[in-house]
Amino acid sequence: MAPEDIKKLRQELGCTARELAGALGIEQETVLAWEHGDLFPTKRFVGRMEELRSKGPEAIPRKKRKQATASPLQLLSDPELWRLFRKLLSHPELRSAAIKLAEAYPDPTDAPPS
């Protein structure tokens, strides 16, 4: 398998070198060395990459990326928040249920200053 074939495989699978390495159980540096032509994959790894290709992008385990916490102003600009707020104002039974549900969650204003 040539370096350009490995790059093409990653494009087909929509994955990073790190993700491909994880799926193969090897280090990212090895995949990068294959892509640069410094090393070449053994027949065993070529077979495993072909299996991944046949399974498609779902075969690549991916870590969920940590999303940045939205600021209060960003949250206030969310139309879904205002839709929920209107429903809470309009439906007393929904408001009661939301109050009961919210009891299990700490109030951010009660947190000690950092």
Side-chain angles (χ1 to χ4, degrees):
M1 185 173 265
E4 54 274 1
D5 296 328
I6 297 168
K7 290 177 187 175
K8 183 178 178 191
L9 172 66
R10 284 201 310 106
Q11 287 178 340
E12 289 174 22
L13 297 175
C15 67
T16 64
R18 178 173 290 174
E19 290 169 333
L20 178 58
L24 295 171
I26 59 175
E27 297 294 321
Q28 175 184 357
E29 290 76 19
T30 304
V31 172
L32 294 173
W34 291 346
E35 289 186 359
H36 292 112
D38 298 332
L39 295 174
F40 293 93
T42 62
K43 190 173 186 175
R44 181 177 115 211
F45 286 115
V46 170
R48 290 176 66 188
M49 286 188 275
E50 289 301 332
E51 287 176 21
L52 292 172
R53 175 178 274 133
S54 68
K55 292 178 182 177
E58 298 78 31
I60 302 295
R62 301 178 198 280
K63 287 185 178 178
K64 292 193 177 194
R65 294 189 177 158
K66 189 176 179 181
Q67 293 183 351
T69 305
S71 73
L73 288 178
Q74 288 172 320
L75 292 173
L76 287 173
S77 68
D78 181 359
E80 282 299 309
L81 176 70
W82 292 103
R83 185 170 177 255
L84 175 61
F85 186 69
R86 287 190 304 273
K87 287 182 177 185
L88 287 169
L89 290 175
S90 300
H91 304 283
E93 64 281 358
L94 177 60
R95 189 168 46 257
S96 294
I99 290 169
K100 284 183 184 176
L101 180 63
E103 287 173 0
Y105 294 86
D107 186 333
T109 60
D110 293 342
S114 48

